[in-house]
Amino acid sequence: MKKTTIILITFVVVLGGAFLFLQNININRLGTDKYYTQITGEGKKLEEKASSGEVFVRYEYTLRAVKEDGEAKTVTFTSQNPLRQQAYLELFIKNDKGVTSYEEINEDKVPQKAKEKFI
C-alpha cells in the first residue's frame, strides 16, 4: 500500500511538472540565437489550398536581422497574419531551421547596436 501511494504521488508530481513546463516554455525558443528586426514592408501573401479545398493564407517576410552584438544577416520567415508596420520583433533562430519563433517587442528592448544597424 505504501509503495503504491509513493508511486502514485511521484507520477502526479512528474505529470504536473511536465504540464507546467509545456504551458510556460515555448519549445521553439530553446537552443536558439536571438536576433532583432523591424518590419519595413508588406509581407508577400502566400495562399495554399488544402485537399479539402480550404485556403490557408500566410505572409512571408524577408528582412535584415541583427544580433545583440551587431552581427547581421538576412532572414525569411512567415506569419499567419500581416505584421504591423515599423514594429520591432525579437526573432528566435536555429541555424538548421531558420526562424522558429518571434515576438513583437517595444523599441526600448532592442539593443543599441542592433538599432544602429536598422538605420
Side-chain angles (χ1 to χ4, degrees):
M1 179 72 174
K2 207 174 195 183
K3 255 185 178 178
T4 305
T5 304
I6 291 172
I7 290 171
L8 185 61
I9 290 172
T10 303
F11 179 73
V12 169
V13 168
V14 169
L15 191 62
F19 178 76
L20 287 174
F21 175 79
L22 292 174
Q23 289 294 316
N24 296 314
I25 302 296
N26 185 337
I27 295 172
N28 291 325
R29 295 180 181 183
L30 295 177
T32 61
D33 293 322
K34 287 184 187 178
Y35 282 78
Y36 301 89
T37 192
Q38 185 177 24
I39 304 300
T40 57
E42 297 292 321
K44 178 181 172 186
K45 189 175 182 178
L46 305 173
E47 292 185 8
E48 295 176 1
K49 194 179 250 188
S51 59
S52 64
E54 187 177 0
V55 176
F56 294 97
V57 177
R58 293 179 303 139
Y59 296 87
E60 181 179 78
Y61 294 87
T62 300
L63 299 166
R64 181 184 178 128
V66 184
K67 261 184 161 178
E68 191 170 341
D69 63 4
E71 176 189 331
K73 70 179 186 177
T74 301
V75 296
T76 299
F77 64 98
T78 60
S79 170
Q80 292 179 339
N81 301 308
L83 298 174
R84 189 172 62 82
Q85 291 298 309
Q86 303 305 312
Y88 288 94
L89 298 181
E90 182 175 44
L91 305 174
F92 299 89
I93 300 176
K94 285 187 182 177
N95 286 336
D96 58 339
K97 293 185 178 180
V99 177
T100 59
S101 182
Y102 64 86
E103 178 179 12
E104 184 172 336
I105 58 173
N106 291 329
E107 182 179 0
D108 60 338
K109 290 191 177 185
V110 178
Q112 189 60 36
K113 281 188 177 183
K115 249 192 253 186
E116 291 168 1
K117 298 280 184 166
F118 295 151
I119 299 172

